[in-house]
Amino acid sequence: MTTFIHLPEKSTSKADWEASLNKFLNLTFGKSFTNEISSSIQRLNKLRVDIQHSHTSDGESLIPIYLNYITQLNSLELRLPMSAVITGGELEFSWTDAFDSNADPTVQHSLSFEKASILFSLASVYSYLAATASSSLDWKNAILNFTNAAGILDFISINFLHAPTNDLKVETSKGLAKLMLAQAQECFLWNYMQSTTGNLSLIHISE
């Protein structure tokens, strides 16, 4: 039986959205407005804290956290000048390279870097779920999760062209996407061979 590969995880340190957003909103719209939406800001900050302390092995519980966080970032980008929010609040995003844990973390003020790192981490979770499912011969879940990981990695390769870490570079993302897709295809083959119809078909082919 094949041993399937899942992506290593990136790790991150604290990024305080609450302080940066409060500073920008207080200066731009006033404290009364900021106070009105304080609960939403706190929820965003809590999502980031949960991500900071998460591990790939936490599995499915991480998926809604990552998706909710990336959705809120996209929503903020439509409404606020995020470069002003980030630089004005001195907000930094620190992430390790998934394939070089001994290297110093890369620190940037770039929201694109934060989003790409979050998406890579989500792909890592999907690939972990796929590898775990394959070990218990749950081929359908393995196929689904490897395919999800491949799609995210392909999206990274298309939309984030100037990655500061090797794990997010275009050629790396494209290569990993192909690996995840190849593993999904192999899981499909195993599922086919272990089904009654698949076994009979292969017997006829061999004859």
Side-chain angles (χ1 to χ4, degrees):
M1 184 66 67
T2 303
T3 299
F4 291 92
I5 298 170
H6 65 83
L7 301 175
E9 62 183 358
K10 296 170 74 69
S11 61
T12 185
S13 56
K14 182 179 180 181
D16 191 354
W17 276 107
E18 191 169 3
S20 295
L21 282 169
N22 283 342
K23 181 177 180 180
F24 176 84
L25 294 172
N26 283 336
L27 291 172
T28 307
F29 301 105
K31 290 186 178 181
S32 60
F33 174 81
T34 306
N35 290 338
E36 287 179 11
I37 62 170
S38 61
S39 60
S40 297
I41 296 172
Q42 290 168 6
R43 284 195 295 271
L44 174 64
N45 213 48
K46 185 181 184 304
L47 287 172
R48 188 54 170 74
V49 171
D50 290 343
I51 288 170
Q52 177 188 343
H53 297 291
S54 68
H55 298 282
T56 300
S57 57
D58 294 332
E60 289 186 4
S61 63
L62 291 178
I63 294 174
I65 295 174
Y66 283 121
L67 291 178
N68 195 353
Y69 181 67
I70 201 76
T71 299
Q72 291 200 35
L73 293 187
N74 288 335
S75 180
L76 281 174
E77 273 194 299
L78 295 175
R79 293 166 172 82
L80 297 175
M82 295 305 292
S83 59
V85 173
I86 292 169
T87 57
E90 299 181 355
L91 180 59
E92 293 182 334
F93 304 112
S94 173
W95 288 90
T96 60
D97 187 321
F99 298 102
D100 190 2
S101 58
N102 293 322
D104 292 334
T106 299
V107 181
Q108 288 202 348
H109 296 286
S110 168
L111 186 62
S112 292
F113 177 50
E114 171 81 342
K115 290 168 65 176
S117 297
I118 291 293
L119 288 172
F120 184 97
S121 298
L122 180 58
S124 179
V125 172
Y126 277 124
S127 70
Y128 173 83
L129 292 172
T132 302
S134 67
S135 67
S136 58
L137 308 185
D138 185 357
W139 299 118
K140 290 184 179 179
N141 268 327
I143 293 166
L144 174 63
N145 286 308
F146 275 134
T147 303
N148 285 340
I152 292 170
L153 291 163
D154 191 53
F155 180 86
I156 291 172
S157 72
I158 294 170
N159 290 278
F160 301 98
L161 304 180
H162 304 289
T165 54
N166 289 326
D167 54 355
L168 299 177
K169 289 186 181 300
V170 171
E171 57 271 24
T172 305
S173 299
K174 283 184 176 179
L176 292 174
K178 290 179 180 178
L179 172 61
M180 295 297 113
L181 190 58
Q183 292 190 131
Q185 292 169 339
E186 183 168 352
C187 288
F188 178 86
L189 179 60
W190 278 110
N191 185 55
Y192 181 78
M193 288 192 298
Q194 290 181 2
S195 68
T196 302
T197 303
N199 283 329
L200 291 175
S201 298
L202 289 174
I203 289 171
H204 289 307
I205 292 172
S206 65
E207 291 176 348

